[in-house]
Protein backbone atom coordinates (compact mmCIF):
# COMPACT_ATOMS: atom_id res chain seq x y z
CA UNK A 1 0.00 0.00 0.00
CA UNK A 2 2.08 2.90 -1.34
CA UNK A 3 0.73 6.27 -0.32
CA UNK A 4 1.54 9.29 1.82
CA UNK A 5 -0.27 9.79 5.11
CA UNK A 6 -0.21 12.55 7.69
CA UNK A 7 0.51 10.57 10.84
CA UNK A 8 1.40 7.12 12.14
CA UNK A 9 1.00 6.45 15.85
CA UNK A 10 2.76 3.14 16.35
CA UNK A 11 3.38 0.50 18.97
CA UNK A 12 1.01 1.90 21.62
CA UNK A 13 0.69 -0.33 24.64
CA UNK A 14 -3.06 0.17 24.28
CA UNK A 15 -5.37 1.72 21.68
CA UNK A 16 -8.80 2.31 23.19
CA UNK A 17 -11.64 2.04 20.64
CA UNK A 18 -14.48 2.10 23.21
CA UNK A 19 -16.62 -0.14 20.96
CA UNK A 20 -15.92 -2.56 18.15
CA UNK A 21 -19.17 -2.92 16.21
CA UNK A 22 -20.09 0.63 15.33
CA UNK A 23 -22.23 1.22 18.41
CA UNK A 24 -23.18 4.84 18.98
CA UNK A 25 -23.69 4.31 22.71
CA UNK A 26 -22.78 1.67 25.25
CA UNK A 27 -24.53 1.10 28.57
CA UNK A 28 -24.47 -0.96 31.71
CA UNK A 29 -22.43 -4.14 31.10
CA UNK A 30 -20.94 -2.67 27.93
CA UNK A 31 -19.26 0.01 30.02
CA UNK A 32 -17.31 -2.71 31.79
CA UNK A 33 -16.00 -4.22 28.55
CA UNK A 34 -14.45 -1.46 26.51
CA UNK A 35 -12.74 -2.46 23.29
CA UNK A 36 -8.98 -2.12 23.73
CA UNK A 37 -6.23 -3.25 21.33
CA UNK A 38 -2.99 -4.26 23.00
CA UNK A 39 0.15 -3.16 21.15
CA UNK A 40 -1.74 -1.20 18.50
CA UNK A 41 -1.10 1.42 15.84
CA UNK A 42 -3.21 4.14 14.19
CA UNK A 43 -2.92 5.66 10.70
CA UNK A 44 -4.16 9.22 10.02
CA UNK A 45 -4.79 10.31 6.43
CA UNK A 46 -3.96 13.64 4.82
CA UNK A 47 -7.57 14.73 5.43
CA UNK A 48 -7.09 14.32 9.18
CA UNK A 49 -9.34 11.27 9.47
CA UNK A 50 -8.34 7.90 10.88
CA UNK A 51 -7.74 5.44 8.04
CA UNK A 52 -6.74 2.34 9.97
CA UNK A 53 -6.43 1.10 13.53
CA UNK A 54 -5.34 -2.35 14.67
CA UNK A 55 -2.52 -4.50 16.02
CA UNK A 56 0.88 -2.96 15.34
CA UNK A 57 2.20 -5.90 13.33
CA UNK A 58 -0.80 -5.86 10.98
CA UNK A 59 -0.61 -2.10 10.42
CA UNK A 60 3.15 -2.41 9.85
CA UNK A 61 2.61 -5.07 7.16
CA UNK A 62 -0.26 -3.27 5.43
CA UNK A 63 1.52 0.10 5.32
CA UNK A 64 5.10 -1.07 4.78
CA UNK A 65 5.42 0.87 1.51
CA UNK A 66 3.67 4.01 2.74
CA UNK A 67 5.26 7.27 3.88
CA UNK A 68 4.15 9.44 6.79
CA UNK A 69 4.61 13.15 7.42
CA UNK A 70 5.03 12.36 11.11
CA UNK A 71 5.56 9.21 13.15
CA UNK A 72 4.90 9.02 16.88
CA UNK A 73 6.37 6.09 18.77
CA UNK A 74 3.74 5.49 21.47
CA UNK A 75 5.56 2.65 23.18
CA UNK A 76 4.35 2.40 26.76
CA UNK A 77 1.48 4.84 26.08
CA UNK A 78 -2.28 4.58 25.70
CA UNK A 79 -4.03 6.14 22.70
CA UNK A 80 -7.50 7.43 23.53
CA UNK A 81 -10.23 8.92 21.29
CA UNK A 82 -10.56 12.68 21.59
CA UNK A 83 -12.82 13.93 24.36
CA UNK A 84 -16.15 15.67 23.73
CA UNK A 85 -17.13 18.66 25.86
CA UNK A 86 -20.87 18.67 25.30
CA UNK A 87 -21.87 21.82 27.21
CA UNK A 88 -19.83 25.02 27.27
CA UNK A 89 -20.37 28.79 27.41
CA UNK A 90 -16.90 29.84 26.22
CA UNK A 91 -17.69 33.24 24.67
CA UNK A 92 -17.92 35.94 27.33
CA UNK A 93 -16.33 39.06 28.78
CA UNK A 94 -15.90 40.07 32.41
CA UNK A 95 -15.71 37.65 35.34
CA UNK A 96 -17.90 36.87 38.33
CA UNK A 97 -15.28 36.11 40.97
CA UNK A 98 -16.94 38.60 43.32
CA UNK A 99 -20.06 36.42 43.41
CA UNK A 100 -18.28 33.67 45.31
CA UNK A 101 -18.62 35.71 48.51
CA UNK A 102 -22.40 35.74 48.03
CA UNK A 103 -22.44 31.99 47.42
CA UNK A 104 -20.26 31.29 50.44
CA UNK A 105 -22.69 33.37 52.51
CA UNK A 106 -25.48 31.06 51.41
CA UNK A 107 -26.95 32.82 48.35
CA UNK A 108 -28.49 30.44 45.84
CA UNK A 109 -28.07 30.60 42.08
CA UNK A 110 -31.40 32.38 41.70
CA UNK A 111 -30.59 34.77 44.60
CA UNK A 112 -27.52 35.93 42.68
CA UNK A 113 -29.54 36.05 39.46
CA UNK A 114 -32.26 38.23 41.00
CA UNK A 115 -29.62 40.56 42.45
CA UNK A 116 -28.43 41.35 38.93
CA UNK A 117 -25.47 38.99 39.02
CA UNK A 118 -24.90 35.71 37.27
CA UNK A 119 -25.92 35.71 33.62
CA UNK A 120 -27.01 39.35 33.66
CA UNK A 121 -23.58 40.54 34.86
CA UNK A 122 -21.86 38.68 32.04
CA UNK A 123 -24.44 39.92 29.51
CA UNK A 124 -23.57 43.52 30.34
CA UNK A 125 -19.85 42.98 29.76
CA UNK A 126 -20.28 40.77 26.69
CA UNK A 127 -22.53 43.33 25.01
CA UNK A 128 -19.82 45.97 25.51
CA UNK A 129 -16.97 43.78 24.23
CA UNK A 130 -15.78 43.98 20.63
CA UNK A 131 -15.64 40.84 18.49
CA UNK A 132 -11.84 40.75 18.38
CA UNK A 133 -11.67 40.71 22.18
CA UNK A 134 -14.21 37.88 22.39
CA UNK A 135 -12.41 35.87 19.70
CA UNK A 136 -9.05 36.23 21.42
CA UNK A 137 -10.40 35.00 24.75
CA UNK A 138 -12.39 32.20 23.11
CA UNK A 139 -9.34 31.03 21.18
CA UNK A 140 -7.28 30.87 24.36
CA UNK A 141 -9.94 28.79 26.10
CA UNK A 142 -10.32 26.40 23.18
CA UNK A 143 -6.54 25.91 22.91
CA UNK A 144 -6.37 25.00 26.60
CA UNK A 145 -9.25 22.57 26.16
CA UNK A 146 -7.52 20.97 23.20
CA UNK A 147 -4.31 20.53 25.19
CA UNK A 148 -6.37 18.64 27.76
CA UNK A 149 -7.58 16.20 25.10
CA UNK A 150 -10.83 17.77 23.84
CA UNK A 151 -11.29 17.44 20.08
CA UNK A 152 -14.99 18.38 19.83
CA UNK A 153 -16.62 21.16 21.84
CA UNK A 154 -20.18 22.47 21.90
CA UNK A 155 -20.06 26.29 22.08
CA UNK A 156 -23.11 28.33 23.13
CA UNK A 157 -24.06 31.94 22.66
CA UNK A 158 -26.41 33.28 25.34
CA UNK A 159 -24.72 36.33 26.86
CA UNK A 160 -26.41 38.79 24.54
CA UNK A 161 -30.13 38.16 25.01
CA UNK A 162 -30.77 40.48 22.06
CA UNK A 163 -30.19 40.13 18.35
CA UNK A 164 -26.94 41.99 17.74
CA UNK A 165 -24.93 40.50 20.59
CA UNK A 166 -26.24 36.99 20.00
CA UNK A 167 -25.19 37.27 16.35
CA UNK A 168 -21.83 38.72 17.41
CA UNK A 169 -21.21 35.71 19.64
CA UNK A 170 -22.25 33.22 16.96
CA UNK A 171 -20.01 34.95 14.42
CA UNK A 172 -17.08 34.70 16.85
CA UNK A 173 -17.80 30.98 17.28
CA UNK A 174 -17.95 30.62 13.48
CA UNK A 175 -14.59 32.35 13.09
CA UNK A 176 -13.08 30.02 15.68
CA UNK A 177 -14.51 27.05 13.77
CA UNK A 178 -12.84 28.26 10.59
CA UNK A 179 -9.45 29.09 12.07
CA UNK A 180 -8.75 26.70 14.95
CA UNK A 181 -7.86 22.98 14.70
CA UNK A 182 -10.72 21.86 16.94
CA UNK A 183 -14.20 20.67 15.99
CA UNK A 184 -17.06 22.94 17.12
CA UNK A 185 -20.80 22.40 17.41
CA UNK A 186 -22.44 25.83 17.56
CA UNK A 187 -25.51 26.49 19.71
CA UNK A 188 -27.86 29.48 19.66
CA UNK A 189 -28.84 30.16 23.30
CA UNK A 190 -30.71 33.46 23.07
CA UNK A 191 -33.13 32.16 25.72
CA UNK A 192 -30.42 31.84 28.36
CA UNK A 193 -32.20 34.36 30.59
CA UNK A 194 -35.01 36.89 30.43
CA UNK A 195 -33.46 40.29 29.62
CA UNK A 196 -33.79 43.02 32.22
CA UNK A 197 -36.93 45.08 31.66
CA UNK A 198 -38.76 42.35 29.76
CA UNK A 199 -41.33 39.75 30.72
CA UNK A 200 -41.04 36.11 29.72
CA UNK A 201 -43.73 36.68 27.11
CA UNK A 202 -41.90 39.70 25.65
CA UNK A 203 -38.56 37.86 25.59
CA UNK A 204 -40.16 34.86 23.91
CA UNK A 205 -41.82 37.09 21.30
CA UNK A 206 -38.49 38.79 20.53
CA UNK A 207 -36.78 35.44 20.03
CA UNK A 208 -39.55 34.06 17.83
CA UNK A 209 -40.21 37.17 15.74
CA UNK A 210 -36.83 38.93 15.64
CA UNK A 211 -33.85 36.75 16.57
CA UNK A 212 -34.72 33.40 15.00
CA UNK A 213 -35.87 34.87 11.65
CA UNK A 214 -32.59 36.80 11.33
CA UNK A 215 -30.63 33.73 12.32
CA UNK A 216 -32.47 31.68 9.69
CA UNK A 217 -31.70 34.34 7.09
CA UNK A 218 -27.97 34.22 7.78
CA UNK A 219 -27.92 30.43 7.89
CA UNK A 220 -29.73 30.26 4.54
CA UNK A 221 -27.24 32.73 3.05
CA UNK A 222 -24.37 30.54 4.21
CA UNK A 223 -22.77 33.29 6.27
CA UNK A 224 -23.38 31.55 9.57
CA UNK A 225 -23.55 27.92 10.60
CA UNK A 226 -25.52 27.00 13.72
CA UNK A 227 -26.16 23.42 14.78
CA UNK A 228 -28.32 23.53 17.92
CA UNK A 229 -30.86 25.56 19.87
CA UNK A 230 -30.87 25.93 23.66
CA UNK A 231 -33.29 27.36 26.24
CA UNK A 232 -32.85 27.66 30.01
CA UNK A 233 -36.11 26.04 31.10
CA UNK A 234 -36.38 26.98 34.76
CA UNK A 235 -38.67 28.60 37.32
CA UNK A 236 -38.11 32.36 37.12
CA UNK A 237 -36.55 32.06 33.66
CA UNK A 238 -38.36 30.42 30.71
CA UNK A 239 -41.39 28.36 31.64
CA UNK A 240 -42.42 25.14 29.95
CA UNK A 241 -44.74 26.82 27.46
CA UNK A 242 -42.18 29.40 26.31
CA UNK A 243 -39.51 26.73 26.14
CA UNK A 244 -41.72 24.57 23.95
CA UNK A 245 -42.43 27.44 21.53
CA UNK A 246 -38.77 28.42 21.16
CA UNK A 247 -37.44 24.88 20.82
CA UNK A 248 -40.09 23.95 18.28
CA UNK A 249 -39.30 27.05 16.23
CA UNK A 250 -35.62 26.13 16.24
CA UNK A 251 -36.40 22.56 15.28
CA UNK A 252 -38.51 23.83 12.37
CA UNK A 253 -35.37 25.68 11.18
CA UNK A 254 -33.39 22.44 11.22
CA UNK A 255 -31.61 23.01 14.53
CA UNK A 256 -30.99 20.16 16.96
CA UNK A 257 -32.59 20.61 20.37
CA UNK A 258 -30.01 20.65 23.17
CA UNK A 259 -31.23 22.58 26.20
CA UNK A 260 -30.95 23.26 29.96
CA UNK A 261 -33.63 21.42 31.92
CA UNK A 262 -34.72 20.22 35.38
CA UNK A 263 -31.70 21.82 37.02
CA UNK A 264 -32.99 23.74 40.04
CA UNK A 265 -36.62 22.64 40.05
CA UNK A 266 -38.52 19.69 38.53
CA UNK A 267 -40.00 21.38 35.45
CA UNK A 268 -40.83 18.24 33.42
CA UNK A 269 -38.16 19.42 30.97
CA UNK A 270 -37.11 15.83 30.36
CA UNK A 271 -40.59 14.87 29.24
CA UNK A 272 -40.80 17.97 27.01
CA UNK A 273 -37.44 17.25 25.43
CA UNK A 274 -38.40 13.65 24.78
CA UNK A 275 -41.65 14.77 23.18
CA UNK A 276 -39.85 17.21 20.88
CA UNK A 277 -37.15 14.71 19.94
CA UNK A 278 -34.32 16.56 21.69
CA UNK A 279 -30.80 15.38 20.98
CA UNK A 280 -29.74 16.19 24.55
CA UNK A 281 -30.79 17.84 27.80
CA UNK A 282 -28.26 19.28 30.25
CA UNK A 283 -28.10 19.38 34.06
CA UNK A 284 -31.13 17.28 35.13
CA UNK A 285 -30.37 17.43 38.85
CA UNK A 286 -34.14 17.52 39.49
CA UNK A 287 -35.23 15.07 36.79
CA UNK A 288 -37.97 12.63 37.80
CA UNK A 289 -38.08 8.89 37.21
CA UNK A 290 -40.76 9.56 34.60
CA UNK A 291 -38.47 12.03 32.89
CA UNK A 292 -35.62 9.54 32.78
CA UNK A 293 -37.89 6.91 31.26
CA UNK A 294 -39.20 9.38 28.67
CA UNK A 295 -35.67 10.39 27.64
CA UNK A 296 -34.64 6.76 27.34
CA UNK A 297 -37.62 5.95 25.13
CA UNK A 298 -36.93 8.98 22.93
CA UNK A 299 -33.17 8.29 22.76
CA UNK A 300 -32.37 11.72 24.23
CA UNK A 301 -28.91 12.03 25.77
CA UNK A 302 -28.38 13.35 29.28
CA UNK A 303 -25.49 15.80 29.69
CA UNK A 304 -24.54 15.76 33.36
CA UNK A 305 -22.53 18.67 34.80
CA UNK A 306 -21.49 17.67 38.33
CA UNK A 307 -19.00 20.48 38.83
CA UNK A 308 -21.76 23.03 38.25
CA UNK A 309 -23.78 21.58 41.12
CA UNK A 310 -20.64 21.52 43.28
CA UNK A 311 -19.81 25.19 42.61
CA UNK A 312 -23.43 26.17 43.33
CA UNK A 313 -23.30 24.18 46.58
CA UNK A 314 -26.25 22.23 45.29
CA UNK A 315 -26.43 18.75 46.76
CA UNK A 316 -29.26 17.08 44.85
CA UNK A 317 -27.34 15.30 42.10
CA UNK A 318 -29.27 12.07 42.23
CA UNK A 319 -29.45 11.60 38.48
CA UNK A 320 -25.76 10.82 38.37
CA UNK A 321 -25.91 8.04 40.95
CA UNK A 322 -28.91 5.98 39.91
CA UNK A 323 -27.60 2.65 38.63
CA UNK A 324 -31.09 1.71 37.47
CA UNK A 325 -31.13 4.47 34.89
CA UNK A 326 -28.25 2.85 33.02
CA UNK A 327 -30.54 0.05 31.91
CA UNK A 328 -33.37 2.31 30.71
CA UNK A 329 -31.78 3.34 27.46
CA UNK A 330 -28.45 3.82 25.73
CA UNK A 331 -28.40 7.59 25.97
CA UNK A 332 -29.67 8.14 29.50
CA UNK A 333 -27.25 9.22 32.22
CA UNK A 334 -24.10 9.44 30.11
CA UNK A 335 -21.70 12.00 31.52
CA UNK A 336 -21.16 13.68 28.16
CA UNK A 337 -18.67 16.21 29.50
CA UNK A 338 -16.03 13.56 28.88
CA UNK A 339 -17.69 11.20 26.42
CA UNK A 340 -15.29 9.81 23.85
CA UNK A 341 -16.50 9.72 20.24
CA UNK A 342 -15.93 6.97 17.73
CA UNK A 343 -12.27 6.61 16.82
CA UNK A 344 -13.29 6.98 13.19
CA UNK A 345 -14.06 10.67 13.62
CA UNK A 346 -11.36 12.02 15.87
CA UNK A 347 -7.63 12.38 16.15
CA UNK A 348 -6.04 10.24 18.89
CA UNK A 349 -4.17 11.79 21.77
CA UNK A 350 -1.43 9.57 23.26
CA UNK A 351 -1.66 9.82 27.05
CA UNK A 352 -0.91 7.67 30.04
CA UNK A 353 -3.91 5.60 31.17
CA UNK A 354 -4.46 2.40 33.14
CA UNK A 355 -5.20 -0.91 31.44
CA UNK A 356 -8.89 -1.82 31.57
CA UNK A 357 -10.00 -4.63 29.26
CA UNK A 358 -9.48 -5.99 25.80
CA UNK A 359 -11.42 -6.93 22.68
CA UNK A 360 -10.93 -9.31 19.81
CA UNK A 361 -9.75 -7.35 16.78
CA UNK A 362 -11.03 -8.70 13.44
CA UNK A 363 -8.10 -9.36 11.15
Amino acid sequence: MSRNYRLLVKNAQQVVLICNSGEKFITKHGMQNLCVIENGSVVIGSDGLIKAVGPAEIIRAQYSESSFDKVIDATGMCVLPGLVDAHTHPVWAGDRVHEFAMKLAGASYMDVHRAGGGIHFTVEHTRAAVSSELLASLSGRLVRMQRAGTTLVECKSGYGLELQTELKMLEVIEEARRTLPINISSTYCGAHAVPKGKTVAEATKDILQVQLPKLKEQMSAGTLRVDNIDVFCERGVFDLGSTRSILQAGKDMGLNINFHGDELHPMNSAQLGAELGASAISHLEEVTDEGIAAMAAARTAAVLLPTTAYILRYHNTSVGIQPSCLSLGPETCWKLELLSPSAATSTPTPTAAPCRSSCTWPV
Side-chain angles (χ1 to χ4, degrees):
M1 186 179 293
S2 180
R3 188 177 171 184
N4 181 259
Y5 295 86
R6 179 181 296 184
L7 174 66
L8 170 65
V9 182
K10 66 178 184 178
N11 303 325
Q13 183 174 336
Q14 291 187 326
V15 176
V16 180
L17 299 183
I18 307 298
C19 56
N20 191 35
S21 301
E23 302 94 334
K24 188 175 181 181
F25 297 90
I26 55 175
T27 67
K28 209 171 184 180
H29 300 303
M31 295 182 186
Q32 306 302 319
N33 296 285
L34 301 183
C35 180
V36 179
I37 299 175
E38 306 291 340
N39 189 28
S41 295
V42 182
V43 175
I44 311 296
S46 57
D47 57 3
L49 299 179
I50 292 175
K51 300 303 180 182
V53 56
E57 64 272 17
I58 294 177
I59 297 297
R60 188 180 306 113
Q62 291 178 343
Y63 292 84
S64 60
E65 298 181 7
S66 299
S67 60
F68 300 91
D69 294 339
K70 185 176 182 179
V71 177
I72 296 176
D73 186 349
T75 299
M77 298 182 182
C78 177
V79 178
L80 300 170
L83 304 179
V84 176
D85 200 325
H87 181 122
T88 79
H89 298 266
V91 185
W92 49 270
D95 66 62
R96 306 204 297 252
V97 173
H98 61 282
E99 294 177 5
F100 276 96
M102 295 177 64
K103 293 173 183 176
L104 290 173
S108 69
Y109 177 91
M110 292 307 296
D111 289 336
V112 175
H113 185 79
R114 285 188 289 268
I119 292 171
H120 288 306
F121 179 89
T122 304
V123 165
E124 180 182 343
H125 288 76
T126 304
R127 286 177 176 177
V130 297
S131 296
S132 58
E133 175 189 348
L134 294 175
L135 179 61
S137 59
L138 170 63
S139 298
R141 292 164 192 145
L142 292 178
V143 167
R144 290 197 298 274
M145 292 168 70
Q146 189 175 35
R147 287 174 178 166
T150 296
T151 56
L152 171 61
V153 56
E154 184 259 8
C155 296
K156 302 180 189 291
S157 67
Y159 290 125
L161 309 184
E162 43 81 23
L163 177 62
Q164 294 307 318
T165 307
E166 289 296 318
L167 287 178
K168 176 174 67 175
M169 295 180 71
L170 291 169
E171 289 165 356
V172 165
I173 293 170
E174 182 65 20
E175 182 63 19
R177 191 207 303 266
R178 287 195 295 261
T179 57
L180 296 178
I182 189 169
N183 295 309
I184 291 175
S185 180
S186 176
T187 299
Y188 164 75
C189 189
H192 196 194
V194 177
K196 290 182 178 180
K198 285 190 175 182
T199 65
V200 174
E202 290 169 339
T204 302
K205 182 179 179 180
D206 180 66
I207 290 168
L208 294 176
Q209 297 184 10
V210 179
Q211 296 189 41
L212 285 179
K214 186 63 176 180
L215 183 61
K216 182 178 180 179
E217 178 185 315
Q218 294 211 12
M219 290 170 60
S220 298
T223 57
L224 195 61
R225 173 181 163 186
V226 182
D227 305 293
N228 318 292
I229 185 165
D230 192 352
V231 176
F232 187 8
C233 182
E234 182 54 68
R235 188 184 300 173
V237 193
F238 288 90
D239 57 30
L240 211 60
S242 297
T243 298
R244 176 191 293 276
S245 298
I246 296 169
L247 293 179
Q248 184 63 60
K251 182 178 180 180
D252 292 342
M253 289 171 49
L255 299 176
N256 298 312
I257 296 174
N258 178 6
F259 72 110
H260 296 57
D262 293 329
E263 178 183 2
L264 305 176
H265 301 92
M267 300 286 293
N268 291 329
S269 301
Q271 291 91 320
L272 174 63
E275 178 188 337
L276 296 178
S279 298
I281 305 174
S282 292
H283 291 293
L284 296 166
E285 285 86 351
E286 292 284 354
V287 70
T288 62
D289 290 343
E290 293 78 12
I292 292 174
M295 289 178 64
R299 302 180 67 80
T300 296
V303 181
L304 308 185
L305 305 165
T307 52
T308 300
Y310 177 78
I311 290 172
L312 295 177
R313 300 162 66 90
Y314 186 66
H315 301 294
N316 184 12
T317 55
S318 57
V319 68
I321 57 173
Q322 294 185 46
S324 61
C325 73
L326 297 177
S327 63
L328 291 176
E331 289 80 2
T332 307
C333 293
W334 265 99
K335 180 185 173 185
L336 293 187
E337 288 177 292
L338 298 176
L339 176 63
S340 298
S342 163
T345 59
S346 60
T347 302
T349 304
T351 60
C355 299
R356 290 293 183 185
S357 57
S358 61
C359 65
T360 302
W361 179 253
V363 178

